[in-house]
Amino acid sequence: MMENEDFSIKLIEVDPQFSFGEIKKVGDKTFCLIDHNNVMNMRFKKPMEDDETMIGIFKTSMDAKNVTFDKANNSFKIELRSTLIGVADPTTNNKWKFLNKDKENQLFNMIFDENIKTALGL
């Protein structure tokens, strides 16, 4: 999925076990929050010296429920529950489009106003 000089990230195929939130209408926009399982493998190219600290960082920054370190492969398996924000409105021809929700809602905040954020409980 992604690679740079320090690490690579690969998504692992898992049963997403989708759970769909309430469909909410805000103005001319329709929203739905969709939670799903997400698993990734993050492999570092240089030997990891403090894997316990990294596990704590992943759990906190990504709200990961389970993080394990594989010393032989110098990689972390990160399991988390992710959220997609579904939106259908005139700009999408009323077809569902999806946005990955990040912890700080940075991209969401660039696209949608505070009233929508409040209405969705974000």
Side-chain angles (χ1 to χ4, degrees):
M1 178 182 154
M2 182 188 126
E3 185 168 358
N4 64 28
E5 63 275 355
D6 297 320
F7 61 86
S8 63
I9 298 174
K10 180 180 177 184
L11 292 179
I12 299 171
E13 188 173 335
V14 295
D15 177 4
Q17 296 183 1
F18 290 113
S19 64
F20 298 88
E22 176 186 347
I23 294 177
K24 294 185 179 183
K25 188 94 168 146
V26 182
D28 64 350
K29 300 174 184 343
T30 306
F31 293 91
C32 183
L33 300 180
I34 303 137
D35 293 328
H36 63 94
N37 290 336
N38 191 1
V39 179
M40 64 185 78
N41 189 311
M42 186 171 193
R43 185 175 178 276
F44 285 83
K45 296 182 180 175
K46 295 178 184 169
M48 184 56 53
E49 295 180 18
D50 192 359
D51 56 284
E52 288 300 318
T53 297
M54 290 301 291
I55 288 171
I57 289 169
F58 290 136
K59 284 185 173 182
T60 301
S61 66
M62 301 172 82
D63 288 330
K65 62 182 176 182
N66 191 27
V67 179
T68 55
F69 180 66
D70 177 353
K71 188 171 183 125
N73 291 313
N74 200 42
S75 65
F76 293 89
K77 181 178 179 183
I78 305 166
E79 300 175 39
L80 57 142
R81 197 84 176 133
S82 295
T83 301
L84 293 171
I85 302 168
V87 61
D89 67 9
T91 63
T92 69
N93 293 320
N94 289 312
K95 294 183 187 228
W96 288 103
K97 302 294 179 183
F98 302 92
L99 171 69
N100 283 316
K101 181 189 178 309
D102 63 15
K103 195 170 183 177
E104 291 83 28
N105 296 318
Q106 290 178 344
L107 187 55
F108 181 88
N109 291 336
M110 286 190 241
I111 301 170
F112 302 106
D113 65 31
E114 194 65 32
N115 291 336
I116 292 173
K117 183 177 177 182
T118 302
L120 298 177
L122 302 175

